[in-house]
Amino acid sequence: MRKKIVAGNWKMNKNLQEGIELAKELNEALAADKPNCDVVICTPFIHLAKVSDIIDHSVIGLGAENCADKAKGAFTGEVSAEMVKSTGAEYVILGHSERREYYNETPEILKEKVLLALENGLKVIFCIGESLEQREANQQNEVVKAELEGSVFNLSAEDFQKIVIAYEPIWAIGTGKTATSDQAEEIHAYIRSVIEQKYGKEVADNTSILYGGSCKASNAPELFAKPDIDGGLIGGASLKCADFKGIIDAWK
Ligand code: 13P
């Protein structure tokens, strides 16, 4: 059976001390009240090594928000997948719409990043999702299919099983405007059908597909109740322990 996952994406928030505080608080909260799902926090690079020492990795997985598209060498300012792995992290988010849009990450670049992440033993949370314009033109299915084909459908079935998909409609990210649970379920089911066409039913059934975009404790239970929604990738509401824990508890 596929995993239920609640993952936080801190984005460019929290200095090191604040990040450590939040990780400690979450670690304590989940030690006191064990989650019914996998929990992952994805932090800025500089937090990873310290946060890795703080958290109980059997309860909280750790991830980066990005990694380089090159293995090593003269790429000033970049952080490789191998470096991420060496901090104790187990995951990396790739393909986030903010990276695609603001840092010009193309499907080809993302394909390289995915391969390097997997080579280095990281699991990938691969983000896909349409813009408002694309949704209004009813192109969402084509968009998510092309994003999968462009960067992860080159993988073997074995490697594809190390990928978690996060469907994040761009119009719902940080806007307070969530996809309705029916809208989200419809496209999650479509995404699963596309995976099934490519890799077969067993792989599709085992792939976790997370919803992201203004997910919070108040709407998580309704979203997570849908058969093809296997959890969430949470931005703003992952920055406060109580808010994030509220979403984790939606699985109870
Ligand atoms: P928000 O939860 O802040 O809308 O962000 C979603 C997101 O982009 C997670 O990666």
Side-chain angles (χ1 to χ4, degrees), residues 75-89:
F75 301 101
T76 303
E78 287 294 294
V79 176
S80 71
E82 185 189 358
M83 291 172 189
V84 168
K85 179 72 180 178
S86 73
T87 65

Side-chain angles (χ1 to χ4, degrees), residues 122-185:
L122 292 168
K123 284 175 252 179
V124 173
I125 301 174
F126 189 74
C127 304
I128 57 179
E130 80 287 353
S131 66
L132 183 60
E133 261 184 333
Q134 291 165 330
R135 167 66 65 166
E136 282 171 348
N138 201 29
Q139 291 167 340
Q140 62 274 13
N141 287 6
E142 288 160 50
V143 171
V144 296
K145 185 171 190 226
E147 286 176 331
L148 292 169
E149 287 172 346
S151 307
V152 293
F153 275 5
N154 55 305
L155 299 173
S156 67
E158 191 192 340
D159 278 343
F160 186 80
Q161 292 178 74
K162 298 165 195 158
I163 307 276
V164 172
I165 302 295
Y167 167 67
E168 300 205 311
I170 297 167
W171 47 272
I173 296 177
T175 57
K177 194 176 166 192
T178 323
T180 66
S181 56
D182 287 338
Q183 263 176 334
E185 169 58 21

Side-chain angles (χ1 to χ4, degrees), residues 182-237:
D182 287 338
Q183 263 176 334
E185 169 58 21
E186 187 181 8
I187 192 155
H188 278 232
Y190 172 74
I191 292 165
R192 199 176 303 287
S193 76
V194 172
I195 297 170
E196 181 175 342
Q197 281 163 28
K198 172 72 189 174
Y199 292 107
K201 186 162 168 42
E202 196 184 333
V203 171
D205 282 344
N206 286 332
T207 301
S208 300
I209 307 177
L210 313 184
Y211 169 79
S214 300
C215 183
K216 34 191 189 291
S218 56
N219 57 28
E222 193 186 333
L223 287 160
F224 296 178
K226 295 292 183 186
D228 288 292
I229 301 181
D230 305 310
L233 180 57
I234 319 299

